[in-house]
Amino acid sequence: MKIMKPGLVFLAATGIASFGLMGCEHKKSEAPAVTATTSSVTSSVSACGVAPSGELTAERILGANSTRTESSLYEGPVWIKDALYFSDFVTSGAFPSRIQKLDANGVMTTVIDDSGSNGLAADVQGNLVAGTHKFKSLSRYTLTGERTNVIDQFEGNVFNSPNDLTIAKDGTIYFTDPAYQTAAAPGGQPKTRVYRVDTDGKTTVVDDTINNPNGIALSLDEKTLYVAGGDAQGVLRTYAIVDGVPQAGKDLVTGMFIPDGMALDCHGNIYATEHAAKHVRVFTPEGKQIATINVDANITNAAFGGEDGKTLFLTGAGAVWKIKLDVSGTPY
């Protein structure tokens, strides 16, 4: 892996993907399928399909089973073009991580050997924006392994272990910084927090009251930020965004058990993973549970993808699962 010269490089608005929707007015294209806009979402909600309900089970993709001999987690699934990319890291020591690619035929290959990454997002060029515990920063990777720093400090100190992230269409980045992989490198912050990074690099705290904030996502109209965290006393919290600034958070769902990453469908329903419970719970934007999707191991995160954007991919303990749904959703 080639590492580009270090330095603080902020992602301009033109270089960041919208938090787009897969599948609504979906067309095959050579460009990354992560650029749908909120207007296309709004205009096509009526054709969005039927959200899942009841108890469902996702199937394991056998070709994606871990090849490691140590305990590992898959994280940060993101659908780019015609494949799923995700982090694959060991759960001990310095948490060495690599980025895997799972193609449409279920074949897994390593695209970046030493990424140090956890959560992933994508920019409009199809590059990966990553929470990197190895560097205690947000990083951007080309798919050939070149890395640049996005942001690596707050108030003079490195972060704990940047975990999950979401990117608004204007280039604003929101990310969580729990303490799960703090031991990957020296230094850290006195608290676990949720952060906002403006397009000029200014970093502010969204919330410092959630123990180990984890999953994060934006609503389709980008007027609401969702954050899941709190470990065994977990919550799914919402933050109204007014003039680009998140307001005080409100708990949408309480009593969650180790909530992790999430994705949204084209109705705005939230697919929230619960790590040790080995399932996804699907909630309406009002917080009503409408479905449960079960897997057979600990689970970490979710993303929509596939040819029509209606396959939900789930990552977890050395495994990727999929389930075909009637709705499309966000690609990370």
Side-chain angles (χ1 to χ4, degrees), residues 19 164-168 174-176 194 214-220 222-228 236-239 241 260-265 268-272 301-302 330 332:
F19 192 74
D164 204 359
L165 67 153
T166 185
I167 307 170
Y174 300 92
F175 73 98
T176 58
V194 182
N214 200 328
I216 192 166
L218 279 166
S219 63
L220 304 182
E222 299 192 352
K223 293 181 179 180
T224 304
L225 180 70
Y226 297 103
V227 176
L236 175 59
R237 190 168 290 177
T238 67
Y239 307 79
I241 298 176
D260 208 317
M262 68 188 91
L264 276 71
D265 70 18
N269 298 315
I270 306 143
Y271 294 63
N301 218 322
T330 53
Y332 65 87

Side-chain angles (χ1 to χ4, degrees), residues 15 39 49 51 71 114 123 131 140 146 170 192-193 197 204 221 234 244 246 254 261 284 311-312 320 329:
S39 61
S71 175
D114 184 19
D123 69 19
R140 181 168 74 171
E146 296 178 333
D170 68 355
T192 59
R193 302 186 178 107
V197 184
T204 54
D221 60 9
T254 59
T284 68
T311 298
L312 182 68
V320 179

Side-chain angles (χ1 to χ4, degrees), residues 71-87:
S71 175
S72 65
L73 282 178
Y74 293 169
E75 251 287 11
V78 56
W79 184 266
I80 299 176
K81 199 173 180 179
D82 56 1
L84 188 76
Y85 294 80
F86 56 91
S87 297

